[in-house]
Amino acid sequence: MQKIKDLSIRTKIIFLIVVISIINTIIASVIYYRTDKKIYNREISEKLLILSKVIGDSNSATILFNDKKSAKEYMSTLKVEKSVEKASIILPDSSIFVSYDKNGVASEMNYPLPLKTDTVLFLAENIIANIPVIFKNDTTAYIRIKYNLDELKVKQDNYFKVIAIILVLTVIIAFILAYFFQKIITQHIFHLHKLMNKISSTKDFSVRSVNNSKDEIGSLSTGFNEMLEQIEKQNNELKRSKQMAEVSLKAKERFLANTTHELRTPLSSIVGITSLLDETPLNDEQKQFLKNIKLSSDHLLSVINDLLEFSKLGSKKLQFEKKKFNIRQSIERLYNSMHYEFQRKNLDFSSDINDNIPQIVIGDDYRLNQIFINLVGNALKFTPQGSIEVYVKKIFENELIIDLEFRIKDTGIGIEKEKQDAIFESFTQENNGTTRKYGGTGLGLAITKQLIELQGGKIRIESEKGKGSTFIFNIPYSKIIVPQVIDNDALNAMSDINILLVDDNPMNLMFTISVLKKGKFKVETAINGLDALKKLSNSDFDIVLCDLHMPEMDGYGLATKIRADGSNKIKNIPIIAVTAAATIDEINRCFNVGMNDYLIKPFEREDLISKVLYLTKKTKNTDND
Ligand code: ADP
């Protein structure tokens, strides 16, 4: 059924017309056949009746005078009737007076026929007639005739031959007519179809369908044109809005950059001069004024920095570093930079970093510090008494990634349940009184949230009004892979390693090839997953380096196909994903489809070489096992 559905409209119409014509011809033939058979049966019945009557009438004297000789002679004239097999004149006492047999074999016709009336019986092989001979109101004898069906069979054979010829002619004529008439319907549909293909390949929405017919296809064509018109109009509007948005975004960025620069320059002078002034002899009142100026200018500077950061986040210009750093040192540095504040507010600080967390991880230390400063800064600001605690623990780990969870817990004023989601939005504070009492712009948490999410993490809050708040966030960091020492042995090994590099971007290919060639590896390239599969089946490779996002077949598709390889030739080949997207979801997906490792662009040459050496050595060893 699905196969019929998938046929083209042209084929469907032709098929339909031909099938309907065949069905019609068959129905007409059956009806004709049945009617014709009825007529034939009636004619035969009449013929047999007349024949019996003639035999009866002609033999009434012979029966009366028991003249069997003349009766037999008469009966032998039945030879001319080819279809009469047997004929008998039977006396009322059921004895046979005379009988005739076409083949000269005298035998009985044992049919239990009622002898009193005219009867014609149609049997499977022949027809039997039994007709009484009446003479002066008395039944003097019965004529019984066995009639064969040869005539009918010939008639039927001829009939079926004619039907077969009619059917063949019907198919041919119906096909030819359907082929020409289907065009009346399909040409417009094909025209629309062609137009649609053209539009989807050229993206040119200015073309229109030409069809003046008033039928459904005509209105489909009109609807299609109207739709195209709308799309074209919307496209133009979108283009215009996009251009305008780009222009205004550029203007906004320029404005923000200029304004913050303009604001920072005099502000740094104010901060600088305030420090200079602080070193001059001043009376107590002047010192207090100076302290206020310093507080205000520091605050202003932090607001400007927030705004600048926010504009960078908005325009997605932020880049995250992938550098080694020590989490414990980061937290120590955080406390050092804030311990005066802790002392001033008489708050306790404690931190607990789980022992199973490695000393060094790879990620952006500067951004982590920025997140800490925002969250611990808030905790300091909103905690009048008590303590602030920082906890770090591991929530996920695999060969390459360690996902760390950070908790910053304070015993401060807390946040109402209903406000807990809103405080992560930009320019939002718990209530209008917050700025008056604590200052701030309402941007800190919005920035923090984005910084965390852009690194593949999430942030949430647990808080109770009046009892304190805990901000919980996680960031997945890369783990350190002990780099392979590139000694002479390693260098020799490299020249034996065949790498298939898969990437659709020529610039990326050029860069990676140059890195790999420096390492003396043998490199071949493929421009997408399909191309890579072709190359893998044609020659032997030791490892595949592949980009994730490519047309036709992406990196995930390629890895899935390789790992499902039935021939086992490439099933176990190591695969390294090379990607610019470093979210934990993407990386997990790489491992889920069977990749062995990943590299984040831009990568360090040593990283690439050591991963390739490590993985190829590993599979070579397992091959030997
Ligand atoms: P800002 O601190 O500049 O106002 P944030 O985005 O950092 O902006 O914070 C938004 C709001 O969330 C704050 O104004 C405050 O109402 C609430 N908030 C943030 N951290 C805490 C905390 N630790 N305890 C209580 N309220 C907090």
Side-chain angles (χ1 to χ4, degrees), residues 378-379 381-382 410 413-415 423 428-430 434 439-446 469 471:
N378 274 352
K381 191 156 72 168
F382 297 108
D410 66 50
I413 59 169
I415 303 162
I423 54 166
T428 312
Q429 298 184 315
E430 193 195 0
T434 311
T441 51
L443 275 178
L445 283 179
S469 318
F471 283 85

mmCIF file with all atom_site columns, all heavy atoms in Angstrom, residues 378-379 381-382 410 413-415 423 428-430 434 439-446 469 471, ligand 1:
data_model
loop_
_atom_site.group_PDB
_atom_site.id
_atom_site.type_symbol
_atom_site.label_atom_id
_atom_site.label_alt_id
_atom_site.label_comp_id
_atom_site.label_asym_id
_atom_site.label_entity_id
_atom_site.label_seq_id
_atom_site.pdbx_PDB_ins_code
_atom_site.Cartn_x
_atom_site.Cartn_y
_atom_site.Cartn_z
_atom_site.occupancy
_atom_site.B_iso_or_equiv
_atom_site.pdbx_formal_charge
_atom_site.auth_seq_id
_atom_site.auth_comp_id
_atom_site.auth_asym_id
_atom_site.auth_atom_id
_atom_site.pdbx_PDB_model_num
ATOM   1   N N   . ASN A 1 378 ? 27.858 39.519 47.437 1.00 0.00 ? 378 ASN A N   1
ATOM   2   C CA  . ASN A 1 378 ? 26.448 39.639 47.816 1.00 0.00 ? 378 ASN A CA  1
ATOM   3   C C   . ASN A 1 378 ? 26.222 39.108 49.225 1.00 0.00 ? 378 ASN A C   1
ATOM   4   O O   . ASN A 1 378 ? 25.514 39.729 50.028 1.00 0.00 ? 378 ASN A O   1
ATOM   5   C CB  . ASN A 1 378 ? 25.562 38.836 46.856 1.00 0.00 ? 378 ASN A CB  1
ATOM   6   C CG  . ASN A 1 378 ? 25.187 39.639 45.629 1.00 0.00 ? 378 ASN A CG  1
ATOM   7   O OD1 . ASN A 1 378 ? 25.465 40.841 45.561 1.00 0.00 ? 378 ASN A OD1 1
ATOM   8   N ND2 . ASN A 1 378 ? 24.585 38.983 44.654 1.00 0.00 ? 378 ASN A ND2 1
ATOM   9   N N   . ALA A 1 379 ? 26.814 37.919 49.510 1.00 0.00 ? 379 ALA A N   1
ATOM   10  C CA  . ALA A 1 379 ? 26.629 37.317 50.829 1.00 0.00 ? 379 ALA A CA  1
ATOM   11  C C   . ALA A 1 379 ? 27.122 38.289 51.905 1.00 0.00 ? 379 ALA A C   1
ATOM   12  O O   . ALA A 1 379 ? 26.445 38.498 52.919 1.00 0.00 ? 379 ALA A O   1
ATOM   13  C CB  . ALA A 1 379 ? 27.379 35.997 50.902 1.00 0.00 ? 379 ALA A CB  1
ATOM   14  N N   . LYS A 1 381 ? 27.334 41.502 51.608 1.00 0.00 ? 381 LYS A N   1
ATOM   15  C CA  . LYS A 1 381 ? 26.474 42.684 51.625 1.00 0.00 ? 381 LYS A CA  1
ATOM   16  C C   . LYS A 1 381 ? 25.175 42.413 52.393 1.00 0.00 ? 381 LYS A C   1
ATOM   17  O O   . LYS A 1 381 ? 24.707 43.244 53.153 1.00 0.00 ? 381 LYS A O   1
ATOM   18  C CB  . LYS A 1 381 ? 26.169 43.079 50.177 1.00 0.00 ? 381 LYS A CB  1
ATOM   19  C CG  . LYS A 1 381 ? 25.522 44.419 50.019 1.00 0.00 ? 381 LYS A CG  1
ATOM   20  C CD  . LYS A 1 381 ? 25.758 45.014 48.632 1.00 0.00 ? 381 LYS A CD  1
ATOM   21  C CE  . LYS A 1 381 ? 24.978 44.327 47.549 1.00 0.00 ? 381 LYS A CE  1
ATOM   22  N NZ  . LYS A 1 381 ? 24.969 45.043 46.284 1.00 0.00 ? 381 LYS A NZ  1
ATOM   23  N N   . PHE A 1 382 ? 24.610 41.194 52.186 1.00 0.00 ? 382 PHE A N   1
ATOM   24  C CA  . PHE A 1 382 ? 23.286 40.924 52.753 1.00 0.00 ? 382 PHE A CA  1
ATOM   25  C C   . PHE A 1 382 ? 23.322 40.105 54.049 1.00 0.00 ? 382 PHE A C   1
ATOM   26  O O   . PHE A 1 382 ? 22.316 39.562 54.452 1.00 0.00 ? 382 PHE A O   1
ATOM   27  C CB  . PHE A 1 382 ? 22.411 40.227 51.714 1.00 0.00 ? 382 PHE A CB  1
ATOM   28  C CG  . PHE A 1 382 ? 22.150 41.075 50.498 1.00 0.00 ? 382 PHE A CG  1
ATOM   29  C CD1 . PHE A 1 382 ? 22.746 40.792 49.278 1.00 0.00 ? 382 PHE A CD1 1
ATOM   30  C CD2 . PHE A 1 382 ? 21.324 42.198 50.582 1.00 0.00 ? 382 PHE A CD2 1
ATOM   31  C CE1 . PHE A 1 382 ? 22.517 41.580 48.170 1.00 0.00 ? 382 PHE A CE1 1
ATOM   32  C CE2 . PHE A 1 382 ? 21.084 42.991 49.466 1.00 0.00 ? 382 PHE A CE2 1
ATOM   33  C CZ  . PHE A 1 382 ? 21.691 42.692 48.262 1.00 0.00 ? 382 PHE A CZ  1
ATOM   34  N N   . ASP A 1 410 ? 25.226 31.691 53.302 1.00 0.00 ? 410 ASP A N   1
ATOM   35  C CA  . ASP A 1 410 ? 25.339 32.776 54.286 1.00 0.00 ? 410 ASP A CA  1
ATOM   36  C C   . ASP A 1 410 ? 24.202 32.689 55.294 1.00 0.00 ? 410 ASP A C   1
ATOM   37  O O   . ASP A 1 410 ? 23.238 31.948 55.098 1.00 0.00 ? 410 ASP A O   1
ATOM   38  C CB  . ASP A 1 410 ? 25.368 34.141 53.572 1.00 0.00 ? 410 ASP A CB  1
ATOM   39  C CG  . ASP A 1 410 ? 24.065 34.464 52.877 1.00 0.00 ? 410 ASP A CG  1
ATOM   40  O OD1 . ASP A 1 410 ? 22.998 34.342 53.515 1.00 0.00 ? 410 ASP A OD1 1
ATOM   41  O OD2 . ASP A 1 410 ? 24.084 34.839 51.667 1.00 0.00 ? 410 ASP A OD2 1
ATOM   42  N N   . ILE A 1 413 ? 19.989 37.904 55.256 1.00 0.00 ? 413 ILE A N   1
ATOM   43  C CA  . ILE A 1 413 ? 18.579 38.289 55.318 1.00 0.00 ? 413 ILE A CA  1
ATOM   44  C C   . ILE A 1 413 ? 17.665 37.339 54.524 1.00 0.00 ? 413 ILE A C   1
ATOM   45  O O   . ILE A 1 413 ? 16.457 37.359 54.693 1.00 0.00 ? 413 ILE A O   1
ATOM   46  C CB  . ILE A 1 413 ? 18.361 39.738 54.825 1.00 0.00 ? 413 ILE A CB  1
ATOM   47  C CG1 . ILE A 1 413 ? 18.841 39.888 53.376 1.00 0.00 ? 413 ILE A CG1 1
ATOM   48  C CG2 . ILE A 1 413 ? 19.067 40.745 55.722 1.00 0.00 ? 413 ILE A CG2 1
ATOM   49  C CD1 . ILE A 1 413 ? 18.423 41.200 52.737 1.00 0.00 ? 413 ILE A CD1 1
ATOM   50  N N   . GLY A 1 414 ? 18.273 36.542 53.638 1.00 0.00 ? 414 GLY A N   1
ATOM   51  C CA  . GLY A 1 414 ? 17.463 35.589 52.866 1.00 0.00 ? 414 GLY A CA  1
ATOM   52  C C   . GLY A 1 414 ? 16.602 36.277 51.818 1.00 0.00 ? 414 GLY A C   1
ATOM   53  O O   . GLY A 1 414 ? 16.509 37.507 51.773 1.00 0.00 ? 414 GLY A O   1
ATOM   54  N N   . ILE A 1 415 ? 15.972 35.461 50.977 1.00 0.00 ? 415 ILE A N   1
ATOM   55  C CA  . ILE A 1 415 ? 15.152 36.002 49.883 1.00 0.00 ? 415 ILE A CA  1
ATOM   56  C C   . ILE A 1 415 ? 13.817 35.262 49.864 1.00 0.00 ? 415 ILE A C   1
ATOM   57  O O   . ILE A 1 415 ? 13.782 34.043 49.980 1.00 0.00 ? 415 ILE A O   1
ATOM   58  C CB  . ILE A 1 415 ? 15.844 35.796 48.522 1.00 0.00 ? 415 ILE A CB  1
ATOM   59  C CG1 . ILE A 1 415 ? 17.229 36.453 48.535 1.00 0.00 ? 415 ILE A CG1 1
ATOM   60  C CG2 . ILE A 1 415 ? 15.039 36.377 47.376 1.00 0.00 ? 415 ILE A CG2 1
ATOM   61  C CD1 . ILE A 1 415 ? 18.139 35.966 47.467 1.00 0.00 ? 415 ILE A CD1 1
ATOM   62  N N   . ILE A 1 423 ? 15.524 37.307 40.804 1.00 0.00 ? 423 ILE A N   1
ATOM   63  C CA  . ILE A 1 423 ? 16.781 38.018 41.089 1.00 0.00 ? 423 ILE A CA  1
ATOM   64  C C   . ILE A 1 423 ? 17.891 37.692 40.094 1.00 0.00 ? 423 ILE A C   1
ATOM   65  O O   . ILE A 1 423 ? 18.873 38.416 40.007 1.00 0.00 ? 423 ILE A O   1
ATOM   66  C CB  . ILE A 1 423 ? 17.301 37.743 42.528 1.00 0.00 ? 423 ILE A CB  1
ATOM   67  C CG1 . ILE A 1 423 ? 17.420 36.240 42.751 1.00 0.00 ? 423 ILE A CG1 1
ATOM   68  C CG2 . ILE A 1 423 ? 16.444 38.415 43.589 1.00 0.00 ? 423 ILE A CG2 1
ATOM   69  C CD1 . ILE A 1 423 ? 18.217 35.893 43.986 1.00 0.00 ? 423 ILE A CD1 1
ATOM   70  N N   . THR A 1 428 ? 17.276 43.413 38.304 1.00 0.00 ? 428 THR A N   1
ATOM   71  C CA  . THR A 1 428 ? 16.221 43.031 39.256 1.00 0.00 ? 428 THR A CA  1
ATOM   72  C C   . THR A 1 428 ? 16.812 42.821 40.641 1.00 0.00 ? 428 THR A C   1
ATOM   73  O O   . THR A 1 428 ? 17.822 42.140 40.797 1.00 0.00 ? 428 THR A O   1
ATOM   74  C CB  . THR A 1 428 ? 15.527 41.727 38.817 1.00 0.00 ? 428 THR A CB  1
ATOM   75  O OG1 . THR A 1 428 ? 15.212 41.844 37.451 1.00 0.00 ? 428 THR A OG1 1
ATOM   76  C CG2 . THR A 1 428 ? 14.272 41.484 39.624 1.00 0.00 ? 428 THR A CG2 1
ATOM   77  N N   . GLN A 1 429 ? 16.144 43.426 41.616 1.00 0.00 ? 429 GLN A N   1
ATOM   78  C CA  . GLN A 1 429 ? 16.530 43.203 43.001 1.00 0.00 ? 429 GLN A CA  1
ATOM   79  C C   . GLN A 1 429 ? 15.322 42.643 43.739 1.00 0.00 ? 429 GLN A C   1
ATOM   80  O O   . GLN A 1 429 ? 14.215 42.607 43.194 1.00 0.00 ? 429 GLN A O   1
ATOM   81  C CB  . GLN A 1 429 ? 16.977 44.529 43.626 1.00 0.00 ? 429 GLN A CB  1
ATOM   82  C CG  . GLN A 1 429 ? 18.207 45.082 42.894 1.00 0.00 ? 429 GLN A CG  1
ATOM   83  C CD  . GLN A 1 429 ? 18.738 46.326 43.537 1.00 0.00 ? 429 GLN A CD  1
ATOM   84  O OE1 . GLN A 1 429 ? 17.974 47.209 43.878 1.00 0.00 ? 429 GLN A OE1 1
ATOM   85  N NE2 . GLN A 1 429 ? 20.047 46.404 43.691 1.00 0.00 ? 429 GLN A NE2 1
ATOM   86  N N   . GLU A 1 430 ? 15.559 42.176 44.983 1.00 0.00 ? 430 GLU A N   1
ATOM   87  C CA  . GLU A 1 430 ? 14.443 41.523 45.676 1.00 0.00 ? 430 GLU A CA  1
ATOM   88  C C   . GLU A 1 430 ? 13.266 42.484 45.836 1.00 0.00 ? 430 GLU A C   1
ATOM   89  O O   . GLU A 1 430 ? 12.127 42.156 45.572 1.00 0.00 ? 430 GLU A O   1
ATOM   90  C CB  . GLU A 1 430 ? 14.890 40.982 47.038 1.00 0.00 ? 430 GLU A CB  1
ATOM   91  C CG  . GLU A 1 430 ? 13.841 40.036 47.602 1.00 0.00 ? 430 GLU A CG  1
ATOM   92  C CD  . GLU A 1 430 ? 14.029 39.738 49.062 1.00 0.00 ? 430 GLU A CD  1
ATOM   93  O OE1 . GLU A 1 430 ? 14.979 40.258 49.684 1.00 0.00 ? 430 GLU A OE1 1
ATOM   94  O OE2 . GLU A 1 430 ? 13.201 38.991 49.599 1.00 0.00 ? 430 GLU A OE2 1
ATOM   95  N N   . THR A 1 434 ? 15.880 47.649 48.309 1.00 0.00 ? 434 THR A N   1
ATOM   96  C CA  . THR A 1 434 ? 17.237 47.092 48.354 1.00 0.00 ? 434 THR A CA  1
ATOM   97  C C   . THR A 1 434 ? 18.297 48.123 47.971 1.00 0.00 ? 434 THR A C   1
ATOM   98  O O   . THR A 1 434 ? 19.305 48.289 48.647 1.00 0.00 ? 434 THR A O   1
ATOM   99  C CB  . THR A 1 434 ? 17.331 45.857 47.437 1.00 0.00 ? 434 THR A CB  1
ATOM   100 O OG1 . THR A 1 434 ? 16.246 45.001 47.730 1.00 0.00 ? 434 THR A OG1 1
ATOM   101 C CG2 . THR A 1 434 ? 18.625 45.110 47.663 1.00 0.00 ? 434 THR A CG2 1
ATOM   102 N N   . GLY A 1 439 ? 22.482 49.428 48.093 1.00 0.00 ? 439 GLY A N   1
ATOM   103 C CA  . GLY A 1 439 ? 23.111 49.831 46.829 1.00 0.00 ? 439 GLY A CA  1
ATOM   104 C C   . GLY A 1 439 ? 22.988 48.715 45.813 1.00 0.00 ? 439 GLY A C   1
ATOM   105 O O   . GLY A 1 439 ? 22.189 47.796 45.960 1.00 0.00 ? 439 GLY A O   1
ATOM   106 N N   . GLY A 1 440 ? 23.796 48.792 44.744 1.00 0.00 ? 440 GLY A N   1
ATOM   107 C CA  . GLY A 1 440 ? 23.792 47.739 43.716 1.00 0.00 ? 440 GLY A CA  1
ATOM   108 C C   . GLY A 1 440 ? 22.941 48.098 42.523 1.00 0.00 ? 440 GLY A C   1
ATOM   109 O O   . GLY A 1 440 ? 22.128 49.025 42.572 1.00 0.00 ? 440 GLY A O   1
ATOM   110 N N   . THR A 1 441 ? 23.151 47.365 41.440 1.00 0.00 ? 441 THR A N   1
ATOM   111 C CA  . THR A 1 441 ? 22.454 47.659 40.180 1.00 0.00 ? 441 THR A CA  1
ATOM   112 C C   . THR A 1 441 ? 21.465 46.568 39.800 1.00 0.00 ? 441 THR A C   1
ATOM   113 O O   . THR A 1 441 ? 20.672 46.727 38.872 1.00 0.00 ? 441 THR A O   1
ATOM   114 C CB  . THR A 1 441 ? 23.477 47.731 39.023 1.00 0.00 ? 441 THR A CB  1
ATOM   115 O OG1 . THR A 1 441 ? 24.266 46.541 39.075 1.00 0.00 ? 441 THR A OG1 1
ATOM   116 C CG2 . THR A 1 441 ? 24.358 48.936 39.128 1.00 0.00 ? 441 THR A CG2 1
ATOM   117 N N   . GLY A 1 442 ? 21.561 45.412 40.456 1.00 0.00 ? 442 GLY A N   1
ATOM   118 C CA  . GLY A 1 442 ? 20.703 44.291 40.061 1.00 0.00 ? 442 GLY A CA  1
ATOM   119 C C   . GLY A 1 442 ? 21.265 43.568 38.847 1.00 0.00 ? 442 GLY A C   1
ATOM   120 O O   . GLY A 1 442 ? 20.560 42.810 38.196 1.00 0.00 ? 442 GLY A O   1
ATOM   121 N N   . LEU A 1 443 ? 22.535 43.802 38.540 1.00 0.00 ? 443 LEU A N   1
ATOM   122 C CA  . LEU A 1 443 ? 23.134 43.141 37.373 1.00 0.00 ? 443 LEU A CA  1
ATOM   123 C C   . LEU A 1 443 ? 24.018 41.959 37.759 1.00 0.00 ? 443 LEU A C   1
ATOM   124 O O   . LEU A 1 443 ? 24.242 41.052 36.970 1.00 0.00 ? 443 LEU A O   1
ATOM   125 C CB  . LEU A 1 443 ? 24.007 44.135 36.599 1.00 0.00 ? 443 LEU A CB  1
ATOM   126 C CG  . LEU A 1 443 ? 23.305 45.018 35.590 1.00 0.00 ? 443 LEU A CG  1
ATOM   127 C CD1 . LEU A 1 443 ? 24.293 45.969 34.951 1.00 0.00 ? 443 LEU A CD1 1
ATOM   128 C CD2 . LEU A 1 443 ? 22.645 44.165 34.528 1.00 0.00 ? 443 LEU A CD2 1
ATOM   129 N N   . GLY A 1 444 ? 24.546 41.994 39.009 1.00 0.00 ? 444 GLY A N   1
ATOM   130 C CA  . GLY A 1 444 ? 25.548 41.004 39.441 1.00 0.00 ? 444 GLY A CA  1
ATOM   131 C C   . GLY A 1 444 ? 25.120 39.567 39.194 1.00 0.00 ? 444 GLY A C   1
ATOM   132 O O   . GLY A 1 444 ? 25.851 38.788 38.569 1.00 0.00 ? 444 GLY A O   1
ATOM   133 N N   . LEU A 1 445 ? 23.903 39.191 39.637 1.00 0.00 ? 445 LEU A N   1
ATOM   134 C CA  . LEU A 1 445 ? 23.468 37.793 39.495 1.00 0.00 ? 445 LEU A CA  1
ATOM   135 C C   . LEU A 1 445 ? 23.177 37.432 38.039 1.00 0.00 ? 445 LEU A C   1
ATOM   136 O O   . LEU A 1 445 ? 23.420 36.299 37.625 1.00 0.00 ? 445 LEU A O   1
ATOM   137 C CB  . LEU A 1 445 ? 22.229 37.529 40.351 1.00 0.00 ? 445 LEU A CB  1
ATOM   138 C CG  . LEU A 1 445 ? 22.498 37.365 41.851 1.00 0.00 ? 445 LEU A CG  1
ATOM   139 C CD1 . LEU A 1 445 ? 21.205 37.124 42.601 1.00 0.00 ? 445 LEU A CD1 1
ATOM   140 C CD2 . LEU A 1 445 ? 23.466 36.217 42.110 1.00 0.00 ? 445 LEU A CD2 1
ATOM   141 N N   . ALA A 1 446 ? 22.677 38.419 37.260 1.00 0.00 ? 446 ALA A N   1
ATOM   142 C CA  . ALA A 1 446 ? 22.415 38.152 35.841 1.00 0.00 ? 446 ALA A CA  1
ATOM   143 C C   . ALA A 1 446 ? 23.732 37.830 35.137 1.00 0.00 ? 446 ALA A C   1
ATOM   144 O O   . ALA A 1 446 ? 23.816 36.885 34.340 1.00 0.00 ? 446 ALA A O   1
ATOM   145 C CB  . ALA A 1 446 ? 21.743 39.352 35.203 1.00 0.00 ? 446 ALA A CB  1
ATOM   146 N N   . SER A 1 469 ? 20.853 32.430 52.834 1.00 0.00 ? 469 SER A N   1
ATOM   147 C CA  . SER A 1 469 ? 20.717 31.915 51.471 1.00 0.00 ? 469 SER A CA  1
ATOM   148 C C   . SER A 1 469 ? 21.911 31.036 51.130 1.00 0.00 ? 469 SER A C   1
ATOM   149 O O   . SER A 1 469 ? 23.004 31.236 51.652 1.00 0.00 ? 469 SER A O   1
ATOM   150 C CB  . SER A 1 469 ? 20.718 33.059 50.454 1.00 0.00 ? 469 SER A CB  1
ATOM   151 O OG  . SER A 1 469 ? 19.946 34.135 50.919 1.00 0.00 ? 469 SER A OG  1
ATOM   152 N N   . PHE A 1 471 ? 23.709 29.845 47.541 1.00 0.00 ? 471 PHE A N   1
ATOM   153 C CA  . PHE A 1 471 ? 23.761 29.849 46.077 1.00 0.00 ? 471 PHE A CA  1
ATOM   154 C C   . PHE A 1 471 ? 24.577 28.632 45.654 1.00 0.00 ? 471 PHE A C   1
ATOM   155 O O   . PHE A 1 471 ? 25.690 28.425 46.141 1.00 0.00 ? 471 PHE A O   1
ATOM   156 C CB  . PHE A 1 471 ? 24.414 31.134 45.563 1.00 0.00 ? 471 PHE A CB  1
ATOM   157 C CG  . PHE A 1 471 ? 23.469 32.304 45.621 1.00 0.00 ? 471 PHE A CG  1
ATOM   158 C CD1 . PHE A 1 471 ? 23.324 33.054 46.792 1.00 0.00 ? 471 PHE A CD1 1
ATOM   159 C CD2 . PHE A 1 471 ? 22.705 32.650 44.521 1.00 0.00 ? 471 PHE A CD2 1
ATOM   160 C CE1 . PHE A 1 471 ? 22.432 34.111 46.845 1.00 0.00 ? 471 PHE A CE1 1
ATOM   161 C CE2 . PHE A 1 471 ? 21.811 33.712 44.574 1.00 0.00 ? 471 PHE A CE2 1
ATOM   162 C CZ  . PHE A 1 471 ? 21.673 34.452 45.740 1.00 0.00 ? 471 PHE A CZ  1
HETATM 163 P P1  . ADP B 2 .   ? 22.863 43.834 43.250 1.00 0.00 ? 1   ADP B P1  1
HETATM 164 O O1  . ADP B 2 .   ? 23.561 43.097 44.310 1.00 0.00 ? 1   ADP B O1  1
HETATM 165 O O2  . ADP B 2 .   ? 23.747 44.717 42.430 1.00 0.00 ? 1   ADP B O2  1
HETATM 166 O O3  . ADP B 2 .   ? 21.600 44.458 43.628 1.00 0.00 ? 1   ADP B O3  1
HETATM 167 P P2  . ADP B 2 .   ? 22.477 41.207 42.159 1.00 0.00 ? 1   ADP B P2  1
HETATM 168 O O4  . ADP B 2 .   ? 21.994 40.787 40.851 1.00 0.00 ? 1   ADP B O4  1
HETATM 169 O O5  . ADP B 2 .   ? 23.812 40.757 42.600 1.00 0.00 ? 1   ADP B O5  1
HETATM 170 O O6  . ADP B 2 .   ? 22.386 42.778 42.167 1.00 0.00 ? 1   ADP B O6  1
HETATM 171 O O7  . ADP B 2 .   ? 21.408 40.776 43.213 1.00 0.00 ? 1   ADP B O7  1
HETATM 172 C C1  . ADP B 2 .   ? 20.049 40.946 42.938 1.00 0.00 ? 1   ADP B C1  1
HETATM 173 C C2  . ADP B 2 .   ? 19.248 40.917 44.206 1.00 0.00 ? 1   ADP B C2  1
HETATM 174 O O8  . ADP B 2 .   ? 19.229 39.623 44.762 1.00 0.00 ? 1   ADP B O8  1
HETATM 175 C C3  . ADP B 2 .   ? 19.810 41.781 45.290 1.00 0.00 ? 1   ADP B C3  1
HETATM 176 O O9  . ADP B 2 .   ? 19.435 43.119 45.106 1.00 0.00 ? 1   ADP B O9  1
HETATM 177 C C4  . ADP B 2 .   ? 19.201 41.167 46.529 1.00 0.00 ? 1   ADP B C4  1
HETATM 178 O O10 . ADP B 2 .   ? 17.900 41.627 46.693 1.00 0.00 ? 1   ADP B O10 1
HETATM 179 C C5  . ADP B 2 .   ? 19.149 39.698 46.200 1.00 0.00 ? 1   ADP B C5  1
HETATM 180 N N1  . ADP B 2 .   ? 20.317 38.959 46.734 1.00 0.00 ? 1   ADP B N1  1
HETATM 181 C C6  . ADP B 2 .   ? 21.434 38.557 46.077 1.00 0.00 ? 1   ADP B C6  1
HETATM 182 N N2  . ADP B 2 .   ? 22.247 37.839 46.880 1.00 0.00 ? 1   ADP B N2  1
HETATM 183 C C7  . ADP B 2 .   ? 21.644 37.782 48.075 1.00 0.00 ? 1   ADP B C7  1
HETATM 184 C C8  . ADP B 2 .   ? 21.994 37.174 49.357 1.00 0.00 ? 1   ADP B C8  1
HETATM 185 N N3  . ADP B 2 .   ? 23.125 36.499 49.522 1.00 0.00 ? 1   ADP B N3  1
HETATM 186 N N4  . ADP B 2 .   ? 21.122 37.310 50.371 1.00 0.00 ? 1   ADP B N4  1
HETATM 187 C C9  . ADP B 2 .   ? 19.965 37.990 50.185 1.00 0.00 ? 1   ADP B C9  1
HETATM 188 N N5  . ADP B 2 .   ? 19.598 38.583 49.023 1.00 0.00 ? 1   ADP B N5  1
HETATM 189 C C10 . ADP B 2 .   ? 20.418 38.484 47.982 1.00 0.00 ? 1   ADP B C10 1
#
